[in-house]
């Protein structure tokens, strides 16, 4: 059987398996070429099936953002987990540490404050589990992380290094502001700033006799654009395996590399718009990675027969919950016709879906979004 769009109910998060597998393989090749450990961020796919493919292709473990996600991937087959958002609540931290202890799994947590350090040392000692710890560094996103110039950096690293309750692993950064850059060259500059800032911090820590086993960095744009990884030990890209509207805009990847689109049906038409069944509850209202509104509208739609053909591209100009308005293009589409939409940001699209519709030439498969909004939490 050759796959047919008519056999798929919409709206559907549509994954092209061959492109997904190529993106997973290409990132592993990049990591291997530079001698980097790859610990991909699973907040993008939230899928056990996809994480298994990443591990099989050579990933050393999985990064997650939340403890809820960590619990879904808390299994020896995923080798080692890093939780990249700082945890400062004992309720949440206890769930993680207990699960790691009971499953005998290596878990790393991330910290950027004295409050976080105190809580971690106390809970780790009390629960009898020794987590790995990364100090988070802010290299320009101005979200989490210590300023590279901060005096607290050496102080916190010293406390972590001296404690028997945890194992100080090193320093972590995420240059997410690269999503707002206008070109591959600008992204490469951000990556180089991040690399040199992280290596300087490592030097400063070593000068205080604080060992730094791992310097871990990661965002899809910076990894795809970076010119040097010298001194870096680990990368944590997430978005790379699906990609979305940001990648062709900056030239870090081609439109044809994007493996995720939203399959939607035209349910109505008027003079100006085609109306589809994929609204904000499917596409999300996200303007792009980190909410950086560098793209206009809510995605780009193509008639399925002309997917990725620029002359048929139509902007998704407005969303309501269950509908999107697509500005009419070259073809007159009718109710029942299908379009494929490249979203602004793949990660929230997946998070909102119960399942991924995974397609290759031969067949259609359905993979659950195991750690998505509908996930049953352990
Ligand atoms: C701490 C951290 N590491 C890695 C990533 C992965 O970045 P990307 O999805 O751009 O690959 C993210 C994404 O938000 C992140 O917050």
């Amino acid at each position: 059987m050759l796959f047919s769009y008519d056999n798929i109910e919409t709206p559907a998060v549509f994954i092209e398996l061959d492109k997904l597998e190529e993106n997973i393989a290409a990132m592993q090749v990049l990591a291997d070429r530079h001698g980097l450990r790859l610990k991909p961020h699973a907040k993008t796919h939230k899928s056990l099936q996809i994480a298994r493919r990443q591990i099989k292709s050579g990933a050393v473990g999985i990064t997650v953002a939340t403890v809820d996600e960590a619990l879904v991937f808390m299994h020896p087959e995923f080798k080692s987990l890093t939780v990249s958002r700082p945890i400062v609540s004992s309720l949440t931290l206890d769930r993680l540490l207990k699960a790691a202890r009971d499953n005998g799994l290596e878990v790393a947590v991330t910290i950027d404050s004295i409050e976080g350090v105190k809580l971690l040392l106390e809970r780790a000692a009390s629960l009898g589990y020794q987590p790995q710890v990364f100090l988070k560094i802010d290299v320009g996103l101005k979200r989490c992380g210590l300023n590279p110039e901060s005096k607290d950096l050496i102080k916190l690293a010293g406390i972590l290094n001296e404690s028997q309750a945890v194992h100080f692993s090193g320093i972590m950064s995420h240059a997410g502001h690269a999503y707002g850059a206008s070109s591959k060259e600008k992204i490469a500059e951000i990556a180089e700033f991040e690399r040199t800032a992280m290596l300087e911090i490592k030097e400063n820590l070593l000068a205080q006799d604080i060992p730094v086993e791992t310097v871990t960095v990661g965002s899809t744009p910076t990894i795809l654009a970076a010119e040097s990884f010298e001194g870096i030990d680990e990368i944590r890209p997430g978005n790379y395996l699906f990609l979305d509207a940001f990648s062709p805009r900056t030239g870090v990847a081609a439109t044809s590399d994007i493996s995720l689109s939203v399959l939607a049906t035209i349910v109505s038409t008027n003079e100006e718009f085609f109306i589809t069944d994929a609204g904000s509850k499917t596409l999300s209202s996200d303007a792009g990675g980190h909410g950086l509104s560098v793209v206009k509208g809510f995605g780009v739609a193509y008639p399925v027969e002309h997917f990725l053909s620029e002359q048929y591209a139509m902007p998704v100009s407005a969303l309501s919950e269950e509908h999107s308005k697509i500005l009419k293009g070259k073809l007159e589409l009718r109710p029942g016709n299908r379009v494929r939409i490249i979203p602004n940001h793949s990660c929230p699209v997946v998070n909102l879906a119960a399942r991924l519709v995974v397609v290759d030439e031969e067949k259609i498969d359905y993979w659950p979004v195991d750690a998505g909004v509908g996930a049953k939490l352990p």
Side-chain angles (χ1 to χ4, degrees):
M1 174 199 92
L2 276 185
F3 114 84
S4 158
Y5 289 111
D6 295 336
N7 292 333
I8 303 172
E9 278 198 65
T10 63
V13 179
F14 185 94
I15 308 292
E16 290 180 64
L17 184 58
D18 55 347
K19 292 185 184 176
L20 174 76
E21 288 183 333
E22 276 163 30
N23 292 342
I24 290 174
M27 186 57 78
Q28 190 64 52
V29 167
L30 184 154
D32 293 346
R33 193 170 63 237
H34 294 281
L36 301 163
R37 294 195 299 274
L38 173 60
K39 205 167 191 185
H41 207 314
K43 53 101 204 183
T44 298
H45 57 72
K46 294 175 172 262
S47 150
L48 294 168
Q49 300 252 29
I50 296 181
R52 279 183 196 123
R53 281 176 156 74
Q54 291 173 313
I55 295 284
K56 198 167 160 213
S57 114
V60 298
I62 295 292
T63 302
V64 295
T66 69
V67 170
D68 287 347
E69 284 173 357
L71 295 183
V72 172
F73 294 98
M74 187 68 72
H75 188 277
E77 70 176 307
F78 299 114
K79 297 181 175 175
S80 163
L81 300 180
T82 297
V83 182
S84 67
R85 190 175 68 188
I87 306 167
V88 292
S89 139
S90 59
L91 285 177
T92 311
L93 186 59
D94 281 12
R95 276 203 299 141
L96 177 73
L97 298 182
K98 279 184 196 159
R101 182 192 63 196
D102 298 347
N103 287 279
L105 206 71
E106 181 180 276
V107 165
V109 296
T110 312
I111 269 184
D112 71 355
S113 67
I114 186 66
E115 291 81 358
V117 169
K118 281 184 183 157
L119 179 73
L120 180 67
L121 298 190
E122 197 266 303
R123 297 316 301 148
S126 157
L127 294 170
Y129 174 80
Q130 191 193 41
Q132 317 247 328
V133 194
F134 286 102
L135 260 192
K136 199 160 194 177
I137 312 297
D138 177 17
V139 290
L141 179 59
K142 299 200 188 306
R143 191 180 62 180
C144 299
L146 291 149
N147 186 302
E149 309 290 326
S150 164
K151 297 226 168 20
D152 287 347
L153 215 156
I154 291 193
K155 191 171 114 195
L156 296 188
I159 299 173
L160 292 169
N161 185 44
E162 273 161 31
S163 166
Q164 302 299 311
V166 299
H167 178 84
F168 178 59
S169 293
I171 48 178
M172 166 191 288
S173 62
H174 167 65
H177 52 303
Y179 280 91
S182 55
S183 67
K184 190 171 176 180
E185 291 68 35
K186 294 246 162 56
I187 297 174
E189 281 170 24
I190 292 174
E192 186 56 12
F193 174 87
E194 175 181 40
R195 188 180 76 83
T196 50
M198 292 296 273
L199 294 189
E200 203 177 310
I201 292 168
K202 177 175 173 177
E203 285 305 309
N204 292 342
L205 292 173
L206 292 179
Q208 303 291 322
D209 286 329
I210 302 172
V212 177
E213 287 163 12
T214 301
V215 176
T216 172
V217 302
S219 82
T220 293
T222 48
I223 290 166
L224 293 180
E227 279 155 14
S228 168
F229 291 95
E230 213 174 317
I232 303 296
D233 302 297
E234 182 187 276
I235 52 171
R236 309 177 321 278
N239 184 276
Y240 73 98
L241 79 187
F242 294 143
L243 302 168
D244 48 38
F246 103 85
S247 5
R249 184 183 62 77
T250 53
V252 295
T255 313
S256 55
D257 296 330
I258 302 172
S259 66
L260 179 149
S261 55
V262 169
L263 181 66
T265 302
I266 310 287
V267 293
S268 184
T269 67
N270 57 45
E271 315 71 57
E272 242 183 302
F273 299 111
F274 300 127
I275 311 300
T276 83
D277 57 359
S280 60
K281 285 180 176 169
T282 302
L283 289 166
S284 89
S285 311
D286 210 299
H290 296 285
L292 292 161
S293 33
V294 282
V295 282
K296 284 212 178 75
F298 299 95
V300 182
Y302 301 86
V304 285
E305 301 78 10
H306 300 284
F307 185 55
L308 299 187
S309 165
E310 271 324 296
Q311 50 177 322
Y312 293 95
M314 301 172 286
V316 180
S317 51
L319 299 178
S320 48
E321 287 177 59
E322 313 293 358
H323 303 83
S324 56
K325 289 178 172 178
I326 296 178
L327 205 57
K328 282 188 167 181
K330 207 174 160 111
L331 278 188
E332 186 51 40
L333 300 174
R334 295 296 305 157
N337 288 153
R338 300 290 181 86
V339 291
R340 280 174 67 184
I341 302 170
I342 300 285
N344 286 347
H345 192 185
S346 292
C347 309
V349 171
V350 171
N351 180 56
L352 292 173
R355 63 185 189 180
L356 307 175
V357 181
V358 183
V359 174
D360 68 13
E361 296 254 306
E362 294 295 314
K363 63 175 190 317
I364 302 169
D365 247 346
Y366 294 91
W367 293 357
V369 180
D370 303 279
V373 281
K376 282 201 197 83
L377 294 177

